[in-house]
Amino acid sequence: MIIVMNHAAAQSSIDRVIAEIEKMGNKAHLSRGEFRTVIGAVGEEGSLDQNHLASLDGVEKVVPIMKPYKLASREFKSEDSIVEIGGGKTPVVKIGGEHAACIAGPCAVENEQMLKRIAKHVRDGGATILRGGVYKPRTSPYSFQGLGLQALKWMRETGDELGMPICVEVMDTRQVADMEPYVDCFQIGARNMQNFDLLREVGKTRKGVLLKRGLAATVKDWLLSAEYVLSQGNRSVILCERGIKTFEDSIRYTLDVTSIPVAKQWSHLPMIVDPSHAAGKRDYVPSLAHAGMAAGAHGVIVEVHYNPSEAQCDGPQALLPEVFKDLMVQLRKIAAIFGKEFAEVGEMASV
Amino acid sequence: MIIVMNHAAAQSSIDRVIAEIEKMGNKAHLSRGEFRTVIGAVGEEGSLDQNHLASLDGVEKVVPIMKPYKLASREFKSEDSIVEIGGGKTPVVKIGGEHAACIAGPCAVENEQMLKRIAKHVRDGGATILRGGVYKPRTSPYSFQGLGLQALKWMRETGDELGMPICVEVMDTRQVADMEPYVDCFQIGARNMQNFDLLREVGKTRKGVLLKRGLAATVKDWLLSAEYVLSQGNRSVILCERGIKTFEDSIRYTLDVTSIPVAKQWSHLPMIVDPSHAAGKRDYVPSLAHAGMAAGAHGVIVEVHYNPSEAQCDGPQALLPEVFKDLMVQLRKIAAIFGKEFAEVGEMASV
Amino acid sequence: MIIVMNHAAAQSSIDRVIAEIEKMGNKAHLSRGEFRTVIGAVGEEGSLDQNHLASLDGVEKVVPIMKPYKLASREFKSEDSIVEIGGGKTPVVKIGGEHAACIAGPCAVENEQMLKRIAKHVRDGGATILRGGVYKPRTSPYSFQGLGLQALKWMRETGDELGMPICVEVMDTRQVADMEPYVDCFQIGARNMQNFDLLREVGKTRKGVLLKRGLAATVKDWLLSAEYVLSQGNRSVILCERGIKTFEDSIRYTLDVTSIPVAKQWSHLPMIVDPSHAAGKRDYVPSLAHAGMAAGAHGVIVEVHYNPSEAQCDGPQALLPEVFKDLMVQLRKIAAIFGKEFAEVGEMASV
Amino acid sequence: MIIVMNHAAAQSSIDRVIAEIEKMGNKAHLSRGEFRTVIGAVGEEGSLDQNHLASLDGVEKVVPIMKPYKLASREFKSEDSIVEIGGGKTPVVKIGGEHAACIAGPCAVENEQMLKRIAKHVRDGGATILRGGVYKPRTSPYSFQGLGLQALKWMRETGDELGMPICVEVMDTRQVADMEPYVDCFQIGARNMQNFDLLREVGKTRKGVLLKRGLAATVKDWLLSAEYVLSQGNRSVILCERGIKTFEDSIRYTLDVTSIPVAKQWSHLPMIVDPSHAAGKRDYVPSLAHAGMAAGAHGVIVEVHYNPSEAQCDGPQALLPEVFKDLMVQLRKIAAIFGKEFAEVGEMASV
């Protein structure tokens, strides 16, 4: 950590900073310039309290040198993590390294029939994990809020029938224990990326955790949220870029593919993109999915509906089954250029 | 609601939109221009499903006419709401209309002594509600996370002794029942503004709810979150602007005083500002507090510490007690220009 | 255009709005709901003054229906425009439709030798247009500002020798006439995207115009800036996405590939991406270039230097010649998936 | 400047960085931690090339210690600058320190009569400098672009008659020489804040320069733009905060009053706010003006029109003359709390 003193800092302020650094078990390294005095704290940065140092008299700014997360970092684990989702009655799906995967399904589970019909479509198209919302985070209290546990049971049943592990959003710490027997992968929504109690709670399970990036979060914030899960002993975290807020008002969110090479350089965790929620409009979904894969993602999560205008939630962004199928053909080609492969569904079902 | 068809929309698409509008109980009003057909839906906008309409073939965009919240709106209640916090062993503090209030205290309760000492300081300075964190939302899992229920009991005790209602942050739905017997006002942090389950849970209590604006939320999003609380029957919501993310990196957040006249025009709810979390640095706190009051806020929430460099959390932004006292003098003058008044502490204790 | 009256608007206000709409040659179409009156203006939207209507008493908001640009729109020209750059002593390079192109070279021209050396490298790698800055927009007045006209002459000479049209940034209206005899394509930098006089000035020439998107501009703003150029009679506009400001501080700018399908849906103009300025760091350049092409761009503009640490400007983002060569191999593969093709250099030189 | 090496940096990379620092005339100060090596460059930071250092092998990041501007900084000049506008046939108006000023007038000069009528209104209300646009930057090429030189002459005439110096926007380097004989203060619009040639050009004159902050510029960027003007020898720069882009879509821009204490801490230059362009809607203008003054601004620039619905430009944000008069009464009261004073018009006319 580097402490920059302001240009008028008194010697007594400098001495105080040095004393505090030493009290925290680091060595202080003084560098006096013509205009500024700069103090380097050498040792274990984790033992330093940046906040405390910043509030001392005469301190202009404190610059950390190390990343604030550990378990999520490439320095902790240099090779790519490969997360395994599923098992039991379904095959195991691998995501990370050379393994790409497609998670697909309806936005919300509306009833058993529609779920099964869409699930078959996405499996035929090449998805190997089934998604479907049972608790829906809605900005308005007057919107459809999901069917809850009953819908979750349909998801489990359908996944088992088709040989697809399931990924379902959790919104509240109280739901974790109820959902744990059924899901293969918990999804944490963008608005809950910094719901720290929820992160800890899913961290205590041994299920997959698909962690969406917050709408205004930096990659660093995102990895710190992953660290909450990892620090509880759960190492099955998949990062998911789903669009950030920008000034562009012609599209719901801006899919930030720039975050892909950055997150992959800093972290060993696998990373996928969600073009559906970013676009908000089905016309743009394929282009964003292509871009995400080309930027280096390990897969995509997309919403599909055979009759989008009847969908109870996010119909405008749902792909039609045949468009989904075509998309997967293109994604396999892009993946191949970069040495990645989407598992074949047939091959998996035999596991 | 207005539905704009794209320029090549077929007659069958137009007919379908009209049929759907009528099915939802509204009348369709067709307006054919040279380049576009526009369909107005006349009736109760709440009964229309914007999402559904947007996903129909040939629809270019859907423009809502009404605000999506009701109970929070000026149309529902035209005069300013005056929220009352406290009662029981403490006086009642009013916020709203001509009543301004100052909420102050430490960022986090670190021990009983420091709490009592700071509480006395802020009461002497003119604060009438005591704040203090007992559960702390921290971006890193390795930072101090608060002392929990024990600290909450100290808050209650201190508030009762000094005649100050207390305001404490809640982070998890499971904490609501535990905290309810002790607090006068729940604080919902910026990162939880769209934790919809938590909003509903505090909405079921009859305590005050201080709702901070999310770091990237619009005023509309914020009022929709207030609506979640109000829709459960709890009408004691206080809005709190605490800074939004912008590109300015010299300060933690940008206090968005522009949101004050906007939120006050749209909603009857009282509104205060939090200059401490916006600034992140004590030097800037007074200017931001001044600006907030001048823009029309009903008060401020500020952090005070007698020894900021020893604070376990957010020391750099804590005001020294004497600076806080001076700030209150200025704020009273600004309030007076705009016909508002901060209650006198003495006067309240006698209630 | 749709005019939404506020809920308390008087009949006289409504009458005034109708009268104004009719005065501007449109028909007014009244739709009275229970809560709001909405007035549609039917006719030629370009003849309506949105600003004027918005300032009338009782008006809550005015919603335009048509896009504010014409010549740039798909409605004006539905098939993709193919812009031709060069001619004379160099071959003509096509951009747009199925024609992809790569523009490459140094950030700034530092001297004749380095320019020629880099130009050869990029030509060998597959670039068909040469870039190089001679006037440099720098945020600090104390940074290197470019070598001006002398450097431009070297650019021309080098381009002619190698058979590559040249693309050079213009910053000031006074430079347009000086540069016109030398350049094949003017580049308008992001900070000048709304320098309207400059847009008009290059619009009067018949050279190509590479229009970078502003750092906080929407796609609509960008197309309006293109409209400035087009409206002067110059139809050779190429849009260039080069990254927008977001909260991510780990990278210079966020390459907004989401803008590609949007801009291509709205406009017939060709569109390329600049991964170098977005990334600011060479490690990330290839991933961003891949993503841009996969999202649908018609090419890339990249910076190359054989010795980046000696570059006078933006060294950290310059690709080494061998990395550039590899990048082009990947880009050709991605282009092929989407039916686009980068011209071969040999084939062009023979034109 | 501090250079942080990445954790795997070779000794040869470290040696190279040290050699480069010494070549640039600074001393290198090495600090080897367990995880990172950090190199401090001690000496004149201005002589170091940050870009060059950042592009060397093994460098993770470069952290400047000093501010990149000099003449604009408090370190260069610790006391507040007081800029004087006008003289000749009009009184001199001071802005800065204890001197507050109000600049007011129409958005655009539409004809001589309207200008004179509005000028009288604003003078009666308490404005001491007259504003009025003669060249208008418009996002659409089809909007009203201003009346040019003729309108400027009316401005000069009106200013002289009423004893008010005039402030007029310049958009193009070629206009500077034409405008110089007439104006007292050049206004640089937000979209031109980084039109570096224009900054240099007005920097060569000895007229006032009102420098608006860019819509997405940081305070540092803004002061660097001020440095461009100052570095040409013109010291009469007034900073003007006019709103930044944020996600709030209910208002045109967000007036960033947070920038006021920041810019005042870093720079000696006077600073005013433009509530009209931020708000875009007259209802919000007074609150924003109040907030700006309370945050520490040295004054305001506002748009006034006696008949806003006839204004050719930005009518919705123009204040009516009587509202402007009331606003000035409130602003004088706020200024008084903070020890500032708006000059009386009468008093000035006698200078």
Side-chain angles (χ1 to χ4, degrees), chain C residues 47-281:
Chain C
S47 64
L48 291 166
D49 182 341
Q50 177 178 353
N51 213 18
H52 173 66
L53 293 169
S55 62
L56 294 173
D57 267 353
V59 172
E60 184 165 303
K61 60 176 174 182
V62 176
V63 183
I65 296 306
M66 305 295 291
K67 307 258 185 296
Y69 43 84
K70 290 174 200 177
L71 307 173
S73 73
R74 281 273 178 204
E75 289 164 26
F76 178 77
K77 179 164 187 291
S78 59
E79 70 281 18
D80 281 9
S81 280
I82 295 171
V83 169
E84 305 196 336
I85 302 294
K89 295 193 184 168
T90 71
V92 165
V93 178
K94 293 181 180 177
I95 306 185
E98 302 167 6
H99 303 274
C102 172
I103 306 174
C107 177
V109 176
E110 296 163 21
N111 58 60
E112 196 178 354
Q113 270 167 299
M114 73 74 85
L115 172 62
K116 298 211 161 164
R117 186 164 161 194
I118 292 175
K120 268 175 216 140
H121 279 304
V122 302
R123 188 183 185 287
D124 289 351
T128 44
I129 299 178
L130 179 65
R131 63 147 290 149
V134 308
Y135 302 106
K136 300 302 301 173
R138 305 303 294 270
T139 46
S140 166
Y142 308 119
S143 300
F144 172 65
Q145 312 267 338
L147 298 179
L149 213 55
Q150 176 57 59
L152 181 59
K153 290 177 185 168
W154 294 330
M155 280 290 291
R156 181 69 273 159
E157 213 178 281
T158 309
D160 286 348
E161 275 172 35
L162 298 178
M164 302 176 81
I166 64 171
C167 175
V168 183
E169 180 163 0
V170 60
M171 288 176 60
D172 185 339
T173 48
R174 298 171 300 184
Q175 294 161 354
V176 175
D178 289 348
M179 293 176 68
E180 196 179 353
Y182 299 99
V183 300
D184 298 299
C185 184
F186 285 106
Q187 177 180 314
I188 303 285
R191 288 177 186 77
N192 276 320
M193 192 200 83
Q194 294 191 318
N195 183 335
F196 303 117
D197 288 289
L198 184 58
L199 296 173
R200 251 190 299 254
E201 217 56 41
V202 297
K204 290 177 196 155
T205 74
R206 289 301 170 266
K207 302 293 178 145
V209 177
L210 183 80
L211 178 61
K212 292 203 170 181
R213 179 181 177 197
L215 302 169
T218 61
V219 173
K220 193 184 83 177
D221 293 335
W222 194 14
L223 293 176
L224 273 166
S225 287
E227 190 83 5
Y228 261 94
V229 180
L230 297 167
S231 69
Q232 300 299 316
N234 186 340
R235 301 298 163 95
S236 301
V237 177
I238 301 164
L239 301 172
C240 178
E241 160 63 35
R242 50 80 75 205
I244 54 172
K245 276 187 123 174
T246 67
F247 300 138
E248 186 53 60
D249 51 9
S250 62
I251 197 161
R252 209 152 21 140
Y253 298 103
T254 295
L255 188 76
D256 178 12
V257 299
T258 308
S259 69
I260 300 175
V262 175
K264 286 178 69 184
Q265 191 177 60
W266 294 359
S267 177
H268 51 86
L269 296 171
M271 179 164 182
I272 68 168
V273 294
D274 174 351
S276 305
H277 282 87
K281 222 176 156 174

Side-chain angles (χ1 to χ4, degrees), chain B residues 38-105:
Chain B
V38 174
I39 305 168
V42 184
E44 172 65 74
E45 190 165 295
S47 64
L48 291 167
D49 183 342
Q50 178 178 351
N51 214 16
H52 173 67
L53 293 169
S55 60
L56 294 172
D57 268 355
V59 172
E60 182 164 305
K61 63 177 174 179
V62 177
V63 184
I65 297 306
M66 305 293 292
K67 306 257 185 297
Y69 43 84
K70 292 171 199 179
L71 307 172
S73 74
R74 282 274 178 203
E75 289 164 25
F76 178 77
K77 183 164 184 291
S78 60
E79 71 281 18
D80 280 9
S81 279
I82 295 171
V83 170
E84 305 196 337
I85 302 295
K89 293 191 183 170
T90 70
V92 164
V93 178
K94 294 181 179 175
I95 307 186
E98 301 167 5
H99 304 274
C102 172
I103 306 175

Side-chain angles (χ1 to χ4, degrees), chain D residues 22-143:
Chain D
E22 290 173 351
K23 213 164 75 186
M24 299 180 211
N26 274 239
K27 275 187 198 141
H29 200 113
L30 197 70
S31 161
R32 250 181 238 281
E34 196 174 340
F35 307 99
R36 285 282 190 284
T37 294
V38 174
I39 305 168
V42 184
E44 173 63 74
E45 190 164 294
S47 63
L48 292 166
D49 182 342
Q50 178 178 352
N51 214 15
H52 173 67
L53 293 169
S55 61
L56 295 173
D57 267 353
V59 172
E60 184 163 306
K61 62 175 173 182
V62 176
V63 185
I65 296 308
M66 305 294 292
K67 308 258 186 293
Y69 42 85
K70 291 173 200 176
L71 306 173
S73 74
R74 281 276 179 202
E75 290 163 25
F76 177 77
K77 181 162 185 290
S78 59
E79 71 280 18
D80 281 9
S81 280
I82 295 170
V83 170
E84 305 196 337
I85 302 295
K89 294 192 183 169
T90 71
V92 165
V93 177
K94 294 180 180 179
I95 306 185
E98 301 168 5
H99 304 274
C102 173
I103 306 173
C107 175
V109 176
E110 296 162 21
N111 57 59
E112 194 177 356
Q113 269 167 299
M114 72 74 84
L115 172 62
K116 297 211 163 162
R117 186 164 159 195
I118 291 175
K120 267 174 216 141
H121 278 305
V122 301
R123 188 183 186 285
D124 290 353
T128 44
I129 299 177
L130 179 65
R131 64 147 289 148
V134 307
Y135 301 107
K136 299 302 300 174
R138 305 302 293 270
T139 46
S140 165
Y142 308 118
S143 300

Side-chain angles (χ1 to χ4, degrees), chain A residues 256-258 260-261 287-296 334 338, chain C residues 255 257-258 260-261 273 275 284-297 300 327 331 334 338:
Chain A
D256 177 11
V257 300
T258 307
I260 300 175
S287 296
L288 298 189
H290 300 154
M293 283 307 293
I334 297 173
F338 300 104
Chain C
L255 188 76
V257 299
T258 308
I260 300 175
V273 294
Y284 302 141
V285 170
S287 296
L288 299 188
H290 301 154
M293 283 307 294
V300 296
L327 172 61
L331 294 183
I334 298 172
F338 299 104

Side-chain angles (χ1 to χ4, degrees), chain A residues 51-52 55 138 140 142 145 172-174 191 194-197 200-201 216 227-228 245 309 314, chain B residues 16 51-52 138 142 145 172-174 191 194-197 200-201 216 227-228 245 309 314 316:
Chain A
N51 213 17
H52 173 67
S55 62
R138 305 302 294 270
S140 165
Y142 307 119
Q145 312 267 334
D172 185 337
T173 51
R174 297 171 302 185
R191 288 177 185 77
Q194 294 191 317
N195 183 336
F196 303 116
D197 287 290
R200 252 192 299 257
E201 217 57 41
E227 190 84 6
Y228 261 93
K245 277 187 123 172
S309 71
D314 283 344
Chain B
R16 171 83 192 275
N51 214 16
H52 173 67
R138 305 303 293 271
Y142 308 119
Q145 311 268 336
D172 186 339
T173 49
R174 296 171 303 185
R191 288 178 187 76
Q194 294 190 317
N195 183 335
F196 304 116
D197 288 288
R200 253 191 299 257
E201 218 55 42
E227 190 84 5
Y228 260 94
K245 276 187 123 174
S309 72
D314 283 344

Side-chain angles (χ1 to χ4, degrees), chain D residues 221-237:
Chain D
D221 294 335
W222 194 16
L223 293 176
L224 273 166
S225 287
E227 190 83 6
Y228 260 93
V229 180
L230 297 167
S231 69
Q232 301 299 317
N234 186 339
R235 302 299 163 93
S236 300
V237 177

